[in-house]
Amino acid sequence: TLDSLKIVRSLFAFEDNGLDALCQKFGIKGKDKVTADDWRTIIKTGDEKTLQKVSRYCRGDVRNGKELLEIFLPYAGKTEDYGTKKAIKITA
């Protein structure tokens, strides 16, 4: 496995290593803000609009984490296809 936070901490001396701060440093678009009240609203009421907001936030975490990992892979000595299996063509 690769941990982008471990890679960042081992190579850079940033004051803030949080996902949003790293995205700003590397020019990656930020994501919507979610508050504790948003999470409480979902738990208490199941409000669909708030659930969609939090869903966008979570997808943004995944998207931004992936973009950062692609930036950091070379620092870890890995290629973009690290951890994937290439398709094998089988002929009969």
Side-chain angles (χ1 to χ4, degrees):
T1 62
L2 285 174
D3 185 334
S4 56
L5 181 59
K6 287 181 181 179
I7 294 168
V8 170
R9 285 183 175 164
S10 71
L11 298 170
F12 305 102
F14 297 136
E15 191 171 309
D16 185 352
N17 292 317
L19 182 63
D20 288 332
L22 292 173
C23 286
Q24 286 179 353
K25 288 180 193 324
F26 290 95
I28 297 171
K29 182 182 174 196
K31 58 188 186 315
D32 297 338
K33 300 294 180 201
V34 171
T35 66
D37 285 337
D38 291 327
W39 291 103
R40 282 190 281 274
T41 298
I42 291 169
I43 291 169
K44 289 180 182 177
T45 69
D47 179 63
E48 185 64 30
K49 185 176 178 182
T50 307
L51 183 59
Q52 288 174 2
K53 176 183 176 183
V54 170
S55 177
R56 280 191 309 274
Y57 174 86
C58 293
R59 286 192 311 270
D61 263 0
V62 173
R63 182 190 65 242
N64 291 355
K66 182 179 181 290
E67 287 187 51
L68 281 173
L69 186 58
E70 288 171 355
I71 291 170
F72 299 141
L73 278 175
Y75 293 104
K78 305 296 181 188
T79 60
E80 288 185 23
D81 63 348
Y82 173 75
T84 63
K85 294 184 178 189
K86 297 186 181 201
I88 300 171
K89 186 176 181 179
I90 300 175
T91 57

